[in-house]
Amino acid sequence: MPDIVVTDHADKGRFEAHQGVVLVGFAEYQLTDDLYVFTHTQVDPAHEGKGVGGALARGALDQVRAEGTRQVLAVCPFIESWMARHPDYADLNLRAAPSGPVD
């Protein structure tokens, strides 16, 4: 199975996952000045259970992190649950509890 490549298609408001030339999934978002608001994620049914969703989430969030200017608000249940299972992305999550001492 070829590697999954995730690219941002800002003109469509979504990150797309491709295996070779085949579109296998996408994660739609809306932008604000401070946020990527992930609204919907979809994986082609023929590719479900093959790691596409996880690769898509990781690839999209890695690109958000690399940009370095926005946090993530996950309205999409898939992205929200994926982030909850991957605490190394908590710094991007607007809903994550702050870490460290609290007065």
Side-chain angles (χ1 to χ4, degrees):
M1 178 172 4
D3 290 335
I4 297 168
V5 176
V6 177
T7 53
D8 184 9
H9 290 270
D11 57 321
K12 296 179 183 177
R14 68 187 199 179
F15 288 93
E16 294 183 350
H18 287 85
Q19 284 186 320
V21 297
V22 178
L23 175 66
V24 293
F26 60 86
E28 294 177 336
Y29 64 83
Q30 296 175 357
L31 288 180
T32 73
D33 289 341
D34 301 320
L35 296 171
Y36 274 86
V37 181
F38 283 89
T39 58
H40 177 69
T41 301
Q42 186 170 323
V43 172
D44 183 309
H47 293 88
E48 288 179 354
K50 298 179 181 178
V52 173
L56 178 56
R58 184 176 304 280
L61 294 172
D62 285 348
Q63 290 182 54
V64 171
R65 178 176 280 147
E67 180 185 294
T69 60
R70 294 181 174 94
Q71 284 190 286
V72 170
L73 175 59
V75 177
C76 167
F78 177 80
I79 298 292
E80 181 178 38
S81 67
W82 192 92
M83 290 182 81
R85 292 188 314 274
H86 296 84
D88 47 323
Y89 288 87
D91 61 306
L92 294 177
N93 191 347
L94 180 67
R95 295 180 178 163
S99 61
V102 177
D103 291 337

